[in-house]
Structures are given as C-alpha cells and as structure tokens.
C-alpha cells in the first residue's frame, strides 16, 4: 500500500466518500426498482420515456435526462417523430450497469463511486455527453475529478480501474484512462519501496471493500520496518490483460527500472497466462492453472476482486486450460517477445527456449520467431538438453527440429564474433576475453554433443544434417571428442545400413587424437567403425603413449642425476594410492595388448606388400617376353622351314619327273609371290 492512501481517502471524503448527487432534479423519487430485466422509478409520476439496452429496459422520465444529457437532447429534437418515447442504446459503454448509475445521477439519487465502476461511469457520461454546458458539476466533471484525485493516487485503485477498462475499448483509450493508470502504476512500481505500506501478494487482504475508507488501513498494513522485496508488484500487475500489461511494462521501462526486474516480471506473467510453459515446480503449475480470469475482451471486471488486488480462485484446471485458446496464447507470446529487454540475461535461456517451443507450435509471426532465436543465441551457453529437444511441428521427417538448433548455433557464433570484435570489449584484457569465449564455446560444444547423441537415434535424421551440426563449431571449441564419438557410435547403431563410404564420411567429424583412453579402447573393439578409423585410433594412441613415456623418462633423468632410479621409483610407488596403482597396472596391460595388436597389423601389412611386389615383378617379366617376340621373326622361321622341306623333295624325285625350264620358271614365280605375301 502507498503512503498516499490516507490522502486519497481524505480526497474521497471531499467528494462525499465517493457518493455523487445532483442538486437539481425535477422528479422526487426514492430510488429505482428492478422487476426482472426492467427498471422503474419509485415515484407517483408515470414514466414517459423508455430506454432499451440489450435485454434491460429503463422506464424513465424525459425531463431529468434531457436536462443533463446532450446526446438524448439531440436524438429527441432531431427525430422526425414529435412524440418519441423509446430509444435503443445498445452501444453505450459499460452496458446497462453504467447507464443505471448515470440515470440515478440525473434523478439526484446518491451514486456510490468505486474503483470498479468509475471507468464505466466515466465512459457512459462521455457517451451521453453530460458536459458542463448543460449543468455545472455534471457527471463528466465529477467522475474526472474522482479519477484524478482519488484513483490515480492509489496503487490498488489504479490496478482495479485498469482491469475494469478491458470491456471499455476504445472509450477508455480515447479518454486516456488506460494511459493515466499505466503511468500511475509505473511510477509507483519504480518508487522507493521504503515509502510503501504493503501486504504480501497472494495473502487475503483485510480490507473487504475497495471503497475509500482508511479507518482500518493502518491495522491491515505490516510494519514499516519490514523489508520490501523488489518483486512486490509482480503479482498485482500480472492480473492485467496482455495489452494493458504491455502498456505498464513500457511505462516502467521509460521510468528506468532495472532490466532484470522487468524480465522477471515478464516471466512471472508468462507463468500465469501460459499453462505448461514453465513446469519446474508444482507451485508454478498451480498458479498457471488456477487463474479464473480469461485474458480476452470478455473477462470480468472489478466485481471478481477481494480486497481490490486479488483474484477469486474458483475455476478448476480444466476450466482454466480451456479458457485460453490458441489465438489468445499467440497474442500473449507475440506481445511478450516484443517487450523483452534487449540486454543479455534479462530473462533466462530456459524461458526463451520454452517460449520458442510454444511460438513454433502456435505458428507465431516469422519475424518475431527470428528475433526470439537471436535472443536465445545471445545466451546459448546457458541452455540445457531438456529445453533444446524441441519437437518438429512442421512437415519435417525428423522427430526433433534439428534445423532450429542449427540456426541457434549460428546465432551464437555470430554473437561471439560480434562481442570479440566490438570496441566496447577492447577495454578488457585479451586473455580474459579469450578464456571466457573458450569456456562458452566449450559448454556449447558439450551441449551440441549431447544433443547429437539424443537425436542420432532418429532413423529419419540424414547424415548431412548430422555432419553439418557436428562441424558447425570450430575445432578449438572441443578439447576432447569423447562426446562426439558417442554421438557417432549412436548414429551408427541407429543406421546399420550405411555404406562404407558413408561411415567414413561420418567418422570424419571427430578427431581421433582428441579421444581419451577409454574412448580409444572402445573404438578399437567397435565393429561398426571402418577399419581405417580403427587403425587411426590405434596409431594416435601409440603416439600418445610414446610421447608420455618419453616425457616421463626425460623427467626421470632430470630428477635422478644425484639419486638412484630405484629409490625414486620406490618413493613414487609408496606415495601413490593403491587404487591408482591398480588402475595403472590394468592400463599398462591394455597398452601392451594394443601394442601387440598394432604390431600384428603392421606384420600383415608388410606381408601383403611383399606379395604385391612379387606379383608385380612376374607381371613385368611376362610383358618383356611378349615385346621380344615379333611377327617378322615368326615369318622367317616359317620360310626357312618351308625351304628345307622343298630341297628334300627335289633330291627324292626320279629323273623322268624332273620339271622342265618353263615349269621351273612358273614355280619360282609362285614362290616369289608367296614370299612377298608372308
């Protein structure tokens, strides 16, 4: 509560304790009488004028109304019917309740002004044109004075009036009631809490009515010495409709409140109006599900309040969840995204990711979704795996939205690059800035590895998406690739039909030299990995062991210049815990096993290489033999063989069969032709 509450009550007493009366009235009456949906004036004079508002009808008299309402004057005198006695006003702001109070004021009946009805009466008076031109001290003047001097000086009343304006658009906006109440709330929220007499939000207020009676105010307020928490105004502001909440938060920003408090107020509001957004505790679920006021234009006014600040919790979980439709949720999310402070860490990364999940589910405007993704990228190192597993709500084949995580990672890298190259960061030392960037990237690398391990079980996840996400971070972000190896192994388990080429392509995302001893032992026995990768793992481990032995031997030589090696070894073993010694002995056995396996692979490789060289030599000899054997040599061999055969035949022929000179000439000619052909 505010110190000025007593002053506002005193101001209310100047206006008759919130009771308005008109000194001039032409009809003596004792009040209004309701009969069903009809209102009648308790007087002996019969009514001559009927006002119809929806299902309610008011049987009144012309003179009291015409003397104070310019609109009714104009309607009656501009009407073509001289004896008009009925008028319909379904569009009057505030409905029949507000018109009833305005009509009572015209008859001089006392009207009790409260924070719950002042906005409706003020808008109805403006609609009926009850100005000072018709009568001094008319309804517009008196309601405006009550707003300015009583309502706006009280925190409680400003909240109640702003809540009651939800059904009075656009009249409340045009009359500046929403703006003035928002600025009043913002000014009080930003004021020094030491000047506040307040009660804890959520407790039942001892003041049973929001009327301006301050007799029991001191008794209902805690001690002044009680410390006021900085979030004392969250619960009161969170009952407003989203458009009015945005107006209040915007006014608070202008007043200069810390962005952490503004972000906390936004998260508190989202917890209340978006069931399921934050489900970390049962208390937050109860707050989100027990709200009985709909965040739409047909929400209730000030009648559903106790003590002026607290809602009546009367709805069940099902009623509350069904009261908020997808359209209302979308409007709330879009409005909250637009008012989140631009500073980093104004809201938590978990809240942003949950808001992003609902934004994708409800098809929020793409521009706002992109803005929200950039906000997540600013503090992506604070994300958790549970919040990052956002389902794919589009027509994608994968279970989780991997493309969304890829975009978040890109925004993170852009933000890191921007912060590194910005002039404002130059004042910090390069060492401090570099270490912070590396630590943030290392946390993001562990997060991405865990995410890849989780989504790799999806058989619809393509190898390209897996590889692109795994290679998005620079090599310096990972000092150990054990998490990446687990993701690769999980992907190989879920996709057993990958070809040899695809498995090699998948294994390129990890560096075998960054695997730990346990990972190397597992990889050496992993049948799903390609043989080339297994050999790389064994070779890298062999190099590590050699380097470790070399460095330890050099260190041992330096330390044993003046002492025997045996003494140093004994001392070292005595100072080493037994569990470490046992672990080291088992590790040595594993190392020897790996050495033996590596030597076996090398021996097989040399044997295959020798066989290959032998086959190559034999193949070369065969080619050389074929080159020396030509067609001319084979032809001459055939000709020599044929000549020898002819000479033998000539020696064996009888004398009477010796050929003549002409036959011999013909044979020579034929032989010459054969030689030329061959």
């Amino acid at each position: 509560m505010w110190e000025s509450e007593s002053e506002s009550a005193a101001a209310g007493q100047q206006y008759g304790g919130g009771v308005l009366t008109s000194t001039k009235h032409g009809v003596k009456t004792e009040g209004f009488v309701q009969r069903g949906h009809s209102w009648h004036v308790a007087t002996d004079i019969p009514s001559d004028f009927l006002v119809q508002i929806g299902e309610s009808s008011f049987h009144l008299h012309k003179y009291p109304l015409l003397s104070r309402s310019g609109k009714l004057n104009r309607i009656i005198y501009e009407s073509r019917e001289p004896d008009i006695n009925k008028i319909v006003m379904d569009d009057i702001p505030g409905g029949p309740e507000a018109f009833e109070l305005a009509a009572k004021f015209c008859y001089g009946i006392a009207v009790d002004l409260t924070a719950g009805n002042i906005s409706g009466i003020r808008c109805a008076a403006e609609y009926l044109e009850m100005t000072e031109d018709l009568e001094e001290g008319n309804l517009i003047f008196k309601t405006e004075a009550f707003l300015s001097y009583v309502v706006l000086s009280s925190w409680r009343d400003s909240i109640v009036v702003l809540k009651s304006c939800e059904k009075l658009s656009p009249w409340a906006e045009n009359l500046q009631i929403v703006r003035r109440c928002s600025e009043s709330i913002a000014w009080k929220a930003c004021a020094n809490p030491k000047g506040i007499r307040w009660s804890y939000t959520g407790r039942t207020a001892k003041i049973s009515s929001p009327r301006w009676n301050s007799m029991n105010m001191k008794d209902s307020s805690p001690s002044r010495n009680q410390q006021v928490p900085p979030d004392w105004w969250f619960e009161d502001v969170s009952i407003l409709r989203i458009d009015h909440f945005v107006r209040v938060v915007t006014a608070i920003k202008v007043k200069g409140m810390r962005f952490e408090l503004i972000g906390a107020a936004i998260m508190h509001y989202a917890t209340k109006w978006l069931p399921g957004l934050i489900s970390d505790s049962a208390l937050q679920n109860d707050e989100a599900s027990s709200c009985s006021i709909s965040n739409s234009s047909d929400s209730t006014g000030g009648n559903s309040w106790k003590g002026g600040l607290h809602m009546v919790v009367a709805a069940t979980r099902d009623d509350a969840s069904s009261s908020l439709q997808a359209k209302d949720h979308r409007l709330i999310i879009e409005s909250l995204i637009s008012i989140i402070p631009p500073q980093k860490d104004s809201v938590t990364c978990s809240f942003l990711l949950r808001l992003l999940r609902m934004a994708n589910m409800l098809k929020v405007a793409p521009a706002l979704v992109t803005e929200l993704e950039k906000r997540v990228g600013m503090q992506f190192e604070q994300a958790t795996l549970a919040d990052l597993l956002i389902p794919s709500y589009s027509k994608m084949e994968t279970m989780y939205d991997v493309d969304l995580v890829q975009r978040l990672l890109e925004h993170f890298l852009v933000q890191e690059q921007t912060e590194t190259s910005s002039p404002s960061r130059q004042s910090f030392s390069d060492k401090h800035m570099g270490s912070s960037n590396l630590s943030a990237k290392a946390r993001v690398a562990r997060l991405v590895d865990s995410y890849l391990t989780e989504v790799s079980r999806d058989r619809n996840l393509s190898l390209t998406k897996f590889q692109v996400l795994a290679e998005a971070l620079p090599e310096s972000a990972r000092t150990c690739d054990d998490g990446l190896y687990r993701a690769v192994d999980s992907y190989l388990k879920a996709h057993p039909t990958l070809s040899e080429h695809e498995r090699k392509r998948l294994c390129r995302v990890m560096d075998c030299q960054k695997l730990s001893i346990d990972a190397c032992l597992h990889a050496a026995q992993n049948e799903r990995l390609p043989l080339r990768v297994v050999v790389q793992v064994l070779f890298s481990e062999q190099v590590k062991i050699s380097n470790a032995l070399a460095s330890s031997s050099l260190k041992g030589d330096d330390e044993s210049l003046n002492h025997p090696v045996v003494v140093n070894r004994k001392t070292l073993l005595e100072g080493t815990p037994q569990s470490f010694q046992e672990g080291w002995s088992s590790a040595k056995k594993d190392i020897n096993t790996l050495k033996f396996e590596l030597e076996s692979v090398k021996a097989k490789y040399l044997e295959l290489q020798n066989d290959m060289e032998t086959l190559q030599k034999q193949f070369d000899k065969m080619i050389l033999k074929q080159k020396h054997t030509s067609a001319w040599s084979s032809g001459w061999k055939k000709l020599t063989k044929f000549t020898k055969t002819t000479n033998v035949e000539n020696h064996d022929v009888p004398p009477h069969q010796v050929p003549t000179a002409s036959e011999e000439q013909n044979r020579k000619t034929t032989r010459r032709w054969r030689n030329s052909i061959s």
Side-chain angles (χ1 to χ4, degrees), residues 591-603:
I591 292 171
N592 293 331
T593 304
L594 291 174
K595 286 182 178 180
F596 178 76
E597 293 179 356
L598 184 61
E599 293 297 333
S600 301
V601 172
K602 288 182 178 179

Side-chain angles (χ1 to χ4, degrees), residues 49 133 233 309 327 377 611:
F49 192 65
D133 298 336
W233 53 276
L309 287 181
K327 183 178 180 180
D611 295 341

Side-chain angles (χ1 to χ4, degrees), residues 163 165-167 240-244 269 273 293-300 323-325 327-328 331-332:
K163 181 67 181 176
C165 290
E166 294 177 357
K167 298 187 298 181
L240 299 174
R241 199 173 63 184
I242 183 61
D243 54 341
H244 294 164
Y269 187 90
W273 292 106
I293 299 178
S294 175
N295 200 350
S296 58
S297 59
D298 57 352
S299 59
T300 58
S323 63
L324 295 175
Q325 301 299 326
K327 183 178 180 180
D328 298 329
L331 177 62
I332 292 173

